[in-house]
Amino acid sequence: MRMRSLWAIPAAAVLAATVLVTAPAAPRAQETTENPFTTTLDIRMGQRLYQQQCTRCHGQTGDGGELGPALTNGFTSASTDAGLFRIVREGIPNTQMIGISRNATDQSVWMVVSYLNSLNSTPAVDLPGDVAAGRMVFEGKGNCSSCHMVGGEGGRRGPDLTRVGDRRDPDELVSDLRTPDEDLAPRWWTLRVTREDGSVVEGLRMSEDTFTMRIMDENEDLWSFSKSGVRSYERVTSSIMPSVNALLTEDEVEDLVAYLYSLRREET
Amino acid sequence: MKRLAIVLATALVAAPAAAQESGSGDGPSFSPVTWERLLNAADEPENWLMYSATLDAQRYSRLDQIHNRNVGELELKWAYQIPQLDRAETVPLVVDGVMFITEAPSNVVAVDAATGRQYWRYDHPLPDDLRICCGRNNRGVAILGETLFMSTLDAHLVAIDARTGNLVWDRETADHQAGYSKTAAPLVVKDQVVTGIAGGEYGIRGFIDSYDAASGEQVWRAWTIPGPDHPDNQTWAGDSWRTGGSASWITGAYDPDLDIVYWGTGNPGPDWNGDVRLGDNLYSDSAMALNGTTGQLEWYFQFTPHDVHDWDAIQVPILADLTMDGEERKVMMWANRNAFFYTIDRETGEFLLGKPYAKQTWAVGLDSNGRPIRVPNTAPTPEGTLVSPPVGGGTNWFSPAFSPRTELFYVQAYDGEDIFYKRDEEYVEGDQFTGGGAQRPLPADNYYSAIRAIDPRTGDVRWEYPIQPRSTAGVTATAGDLVFSGSVDGYFYALDAVSGEELWHMNVGRRVHSAAITYAVDGQQYVTIAAGNVVFTFGLRD
């Protein structure tokens, strides 16, 4: 069960994606090795080994667990298939990430790499919408860029969408646009804070812990509060983004999806 | 008391400033820890002599210099950075001003407990083909005389000279290539070292061992899965007992009057596919009561028969004498990973009461013997089954505490859920053997964690203090009516043991996976916690 949202892509994931395209110019020889096992069957075989060896820490579907990070938002410690192979095979020294079973063959490890890649890619498909028109909707009628950045330009009150097409397929994008409250990641909840003097400050929940919380208000100002220093606070778990249903036509939604889906690594 | 000349000489030549800094200039640190000292550990609260403070494992200190009215004055005294990135689960020991800290993967360092500065370190050599499910962890050492005892990830038990860090003996307890490993602090019982084993995700056959402290020779082994010569072996279908897990990867407790060792056992294997091991799977997910001299099984209590959710009974048993319904009872208290709290008669194993302390959806309740009455269709499936508690449980291995002043049991509780999956899996020696998996359906922030104070006479929750989900820190209680614990978001904090009110907190920067200890040097009380890979020590303002 995958429950991630377009509006749920954390900054760290974007950083991870950045790492993917800013790999060192001169990788080690091993990093140039190509994965020989990338068929659909290889991916399924890799998934099987993943489920046996990796789910304890990284979760059944790669969405992360209590012991290990999610593997569905890019990789922070490898930039190539060969780098992934090495980590799966040997682990990451001086950390809790240990290598896969010694009994696993190299072929099996490559299959795991293929499976991990499958968690971080969406198929290249032709969509009915028009990318250029979708961009105009994004920057114009849709008013999307007032909250979302693409390529370093845009607002700050929503997830950076620079490479959203790498991790959200068209159906998911449609769902994100039409029902933004569904599966909203906690990062995009709203905290409504009532201070001791009765005044209210409200903003996106950038982070919250046991004793403190930090928000960004509608002016993109940053606030930090001690929970014991305010009268009360309230979580609002719905999205500040309106549904496009009442705003855009069917064709405009198709165009917008085509544009968002085009925001992929190879086309940036 | 034996005083080693080299230590004395060091103290004598120490510069006045240094002596003042360490606060121990009046004499040398460290004297041998006899069995009598361990028996009466509660009477010397200036030391922390074993993993759970005392043999009854209450994780309670009689120190009260830091109390519920001045705890707000705590300040950092020193920090010790462990030179490994792994999370620290260590619970240090303190003996007469010397602190022994274990580090990942299987190392130990001795420092001055007043300054955090190092005396010596021991680095255990490890093979590069370890089989460990859940990180390179070590939770602490035990001590007897002048010798420390430590579990290692390659399933060895080592004895280390407490004054120098020199290796005294090194005993292989099982084959690490077959999936065995060791992470928990041992427990000294008389002249023996009792120790468990990890590897429940690798199809091992679990056991609890006792070794002669002087020689390292094995004294007894209690299998946590009985062999075919025992009738309880019939609770495992076919040959499934050979790979049934039932590890013992946490530290137990001991009652010297009854000469009984109490120890928890882990999940049956494979974790999530019970089809291949039909039956109750004794003695997995159980409390085992073992004769402290022979290791013979006195009684057992199985919390989760035929577990298919990985709900190990790997919790520290807490022993206390309570008046229940007008009768003095020797009890054992246990907040289990399956989300039920139990009070059990520790002489007989009789179930006295049990009640949920965290969210659970798998059992209608417990019957009169404490056996769960299961809700149908809660077992894992290939498509996934949503169940509470999650795989990590209502709580897990991190220590609870009990205060004899409040007579409350304090536990880190989590109201969560997971989708549990089942799949077919062949056993291959040395490979993980789990038969499925689990996945949290929503981000952790959608769930709820709290420190809960439970009345062991009723199982009722008296108070709770909410914290960010999901913490993996232990709990420590003191005579200052304080409860110390840590959080997932990197706080170390103190609550009022009576009311649950938060009294003090400190941002220690990274997740706390450990439990606090408290001790005193030269009349000053300290509190120590490991967070991330740093050991922090706090004391009142000078």
Side-chain angles (χ1 to χ4, degrees):
Chain A
M1 186 178 290
R2 299 276 294 280
M3 292 195 179
R4 287 179 294 123
S5 153
L6 170 64
W7 324 114
I9 302 166
V14 177
L15 283 173
T18 307
V19 170
L20 284 168
V21 295
T22 56
R28 284 189 282 173
Q30 188 189 350
E31 293 186 346
T32 63
T33 306
E34 288 189 6
N35 182 352
F37 301 97
T38 58
T39 67
T40 304
L41 181 61
D42 292 332
I43 292 171
R44 281 172 48 198
M45 294 298 288
Q47 179 181 20
R48 191 174 175 80
L49 188 55
Y50 170 91
Q51 289 181 336
Q52 185 187 24
Q53 299 274 326
C54 314
T55 57
R56 189 88 197 165
C57 296
H58 295 291
Q60 180 78 3
T61 52
D63 283 325
E66 292 183 2
L67 299 172
L71 301 173
T72 52
N73 293 322
F75 311 109
T76 52
S77 300
S79 57
T80 63
D81 281 359
L84 270 181
F85 178 96
R86 192 172 61 247
I87 288 174
V88 174
R89 168 60 84 195
E90 300 172 8
I92 302 175
N94 206 25
T95 73
Q96 294 177 95
M97 172 62 198
I98 59 171
I100 204 164
S101 163
R102 289 294 174 114
N103 296 331
T105 61
D106 282 359
Q107 178 177 343
S108 298
V109 176
W110 282 122
M111 289 171 172
V112 172
V113 169
S114 291
Y115 172 66
L116 296 177
N117 282 331
S118 76
L119 299 177
N120 289 275
S121 63
T122 50
V125 293
D126 289 329
L127 295 173
D130 181 83
V131 171
R135 179 171 182 172
M136 291 182 67
V137 171
F138 186 87
E139 295 173 349
K141 182 179 178 184
N143 199 28
C144 310
S145 57
S146 67
C147 289
H148 295 282
M149 282 193 185
V150 173
E153 293 186 8
R156 302 182 173 104
R157 306 233 315 137
D160 188 321
L161 302 180
T162 302
R163 290 186 185 88
V164 65
D166 279 336
R167 56 194 91 259
R168 301 295 281 173
D169 66 32
D171 289 342
E172 290 171 325
L173 290 170
V174 170
S175 172
D176 296 334
L177 291 167
R178 295 197 179 282
T179 55
D181 288 348
E182 215 166 89
D183 304 328
L184 183 69
R187 165 65 179 86
W188 304 105
W189 291 348
T190 292
L191 282 176
R192 186 174 295 143
V193 180
T194 303
R195 293 186 285 192
E196 291 292 2
D197 64 2
S199 61
V200 175
V201 182
E202 182 175 303
L204 291 165
R205 180 181 182 264
M206 301 187 76
S207 69
E208 178 188 353
D209 60 44
T210 300
F211 299 106
T212 66
M213 49 200 165
R214 282 146 300 282
I215 65 174
M216 172 184 281
D217 69 13
E218 61 184 354
N219 299 317
E220 301 179 349
D221 283 332
L222 305 180
W223 298 75
S224 180
F225 298 97
S226 165
K227 289 182 176 177
S228 63
V230 301
R231 183 184 296 175
S232 64
Y233 63 95
E234 176 190 358
R235 285 180 180 175
V236 181
T237 58
S238 55
S239 175
I240 64 169
M241 185 181 115
S243 166
V244 298
N245 288 344
L247 186 67
L248 302 179
T249 66
E250 293 288 334
D251 287 347
E252 287 168 336
V253 171
E254 276 192 354
D255 293 343
L256 185 54
V257 168
Y259 170 61
L260 293 172
Y261 199 59
S262 76
L263 299 174
R264 305 163 70 87
R265 190 169 11 146
E266 63 270 24
E267 296 180 21
T268 301
Chain B
M1 286 190 183
K2 188 176 178 183
R3 307 283 196 207
L4 283 193
I6 189 167
V7 179
L8 183 58
T10 305
L12 286 171
V13 300
Q20 189 176 18
E21 186 181 18
S22 74
S24 56
D26 292 339
S29 302
F30 189 78
S31 54
V33 180
T34 61
W35 172 238
E36 285 68 30
R37 285 184 72 183
L38 294 176
L39 271 176
N40 302 300
D43 296 336
E44 47 175 300
E46 68 275 20
N47 293 316
W48 193 275
L49 296 179
M50 63 193 83
Y51 182 72
S52 301
T54 48
L55 292 167
D56 56 18
Q58 291 184 357
R59 192 165 288 282
Y60 169 82
S61 168
R62 291 183 189 169
L63 292 180
D64 61 1
Q65 186 183 79
I66 301 168
H67 51 67
N68 54 1
R69 296 175 305 287
N70 67 5
V71 67
E73 298 169 22
L74 282 183
E75 63 178 18
L76 182 67
K77 295 300 182 184
W78 56 260
Y80 170 76
Q81 300 242 6
I82 294 172
Q84 301 287 334
L85 295 177
D86 309 62
R87 65 175 184 259
E89 296 186 354
T90 184
V91 172
L93 302 190
V94 174
V95 182
D96 306 328
V98 180
M99 179 180 289
F100 302 101
I101 301 167
T102 58
E103 304 176 341
S106 297
N107 304 329
V108 58
V109 60
V111 303
D112 179 346
T115 65
R117 307 308 296 186
Q118 180 176 318
Y119 281 106
W120 55 256
R121 67 180 298 110
Y122 168 78
D123 292 332
H124 183 73
L126 286 168
D128 60 4
D129 57 350
L130 296 171
R131 268 74 166 177
I132 46 178
C133 73
C134 311
R136 306 190 311 163
N137 305 318
N138 188 287
R139 305 198 181 89
V141 290
I143 188 167
L144 180 66
E146 301 178 358
T147 307
L148 303 173
F149 304 94
M150 181 172 68
S151 299
T152 65
L153 286 176
D154 55 349
H156 286 224
L157 180 69
V158 295
I160 302 158
D161 177 38
R163 294 186 189 271
T164 62
N166 295 339
L167 184 67
V168 178
W169 50 255
D170 180 341
R171 176 71 53 187
E172 181 185 40
T173 67
D175 178 8
H176 75 273
Q177 292 183 321
Y180 293 87
S181 58
K182 288 171 72 67
T183 53
L187 178 72
V188 167
V189 174
K190 297 178 283 192
D191 58 354
Q192 300 176 29
V193 184
V194 182
T195 178
I197 195 75
E201 276 63 54
Y202 285 84
I204 65 159
R205 181 187 175 200
F207 54 79
I208 300 162
D209 275 353
S210 185
Y211 294 87
D212 179 78
S215 68
E217 296 299 317
Q218 187 182 93
V219 181
W220 51 258
R221 168 166 291 185
W223 291 103
T224 58
I225 300 174
D229 55 337
H230 193 287
D232 286 340
N233 179 264
Q234 298 304 308
T235 63
W236 297 83
D239 275 349
S240 61
W241 63 275
R242 295 183 185 277
T243 54
S246 192
S248 50
W249 50 279
I250 198 66
T251 309
Y254 177 67
D255 184 328
D257 295 329
L258 301 175
D259 192 22
I260 293 180
V261 173
Y262 302 90
W263 214 279
T265 64
N267 63 281
D271 306 40
W272 295 290
N273 187 341
D275 300 349
V276 298
R277 49 173 174 80
L278 296 177
D280 275 359
N281 307 143
L282 292 172
Y283 309 108
S284 66
D285 287 357
S286 300
M288 294 181 73
L290 305 171
N291 182 283
T293 305
T294 65
Q296 183 182 350
L297 182 64
E298 302 281 354
W299 55 261
Y300 69 88
F301 181 89
Q302 189 177 39
F303 301 96
T304 313
H306 190 70
D307 174 24
V308 286
H309 296 99
D310 192 17
W311 291 332
D312 304 60
I314 295 292
Q315 293 80 43
V316 175
I318 293 186
L319 316 181
D321 296 344
L322 297 177
T323 304
M324 298 182 69
D325 297 326
E327 187 180 349
E328 284 293 318
R329 303 297 294 252
K330 292 179 179 296
V331 306
M332 177 177 69
M333 296 167 280
W334 201 299
N336 195 275
R337 190 160 159 177
N338 70 11
F340 282 85
F341 172 83
Y342 301 78
T343 301
I344 292 166
D345 184 313
R346 73 172 182 272
E347 288 188 275
T348 63
E350 177 191 355
F351 169 73
L352 299 178
L353 65 87
K355 203 175 271 187
Y357 68 92
K359 181 184 176 187
Q360 68 86 20
T361 61
W362 70 283
V364 175
L366 305 177
D367 70 14
S368 60
N369 295 314
R371 188 181 176 91
I373 305 162
R374 278 189 160 86
V375 173
N377 304 317
T378 53
T381 61
E383 299 75 30
T385 308
L386 185 67
V387 175
S388 291
V391 63
T395 192
N396 203 334
W397 58 270
F398 21 95
S399 298
F402 174 80
S403 167
R405 284 172 59 84
T406 62
E407 296 200 325
L408 291 175
F409 179 98
Y410 305 99
V411 64
Q412 190 80 248
Y414 177 52
D415 299 330
E417 62 188 2
D418 264 341
I419 300 166
F420 290 85
Y421 298 90
K422 178 176 77 171
R423 67 168 183 275
D424 294 331
E425 193 161 293
E426 293 291 318
Y427 170 75
V428 177
E429 184 177 279
D431 275 3
Q432 291 207 19
F433 183 53
T434 58
Q439 184 77 51
R440 187 179 57 211
L442 295 170
D445 285 1
N446 290 277
Y447 301 103
Y448 191 78
S449 273
I451 300 287
R452 294 197 170 123
I454 300 171
D455 182 343
R457 292 185 184 82
T458 63
D460 294 338
V461 175
R462 284 273 196 85
W463 57 254
E464 69 167 23
Y465 183 78
I467 54 179
Q468 286 294 104
R470 167 187 179 250
S471 176
T472 49
V475 184
T476 302
T478 75
D481 282 339
L482 293 171
V483 169
F484 288 97
S485 192
S487 67
V488 65
D489 44 26
Y491 286 102
F492 180 45
Y493 54 90
L495 307 178
D496 186 294
V498 177
S499 68
E501 178 189 0
E502 187 257 319
L503 301 173
W504 171 82
H505 65 264
M506 173 65 68
N507 177 4
V508 286
R510 282 196 74 186
R511 183 173 186 156
V512 178
H513 284 282
S514 182
I517 66 164
T518 186
Y519 61 96
V521 178
D522 289 346
Q524 175 158 17
Q525 183 181 355
Y526 297 92
V527 187
T528 294
I529 189 75
N533 64 336
V534 180
V535 178
F536 296 95
T537 290
F538 299 89
L540 293 173
R541 286 189 204 107
D542 293 326

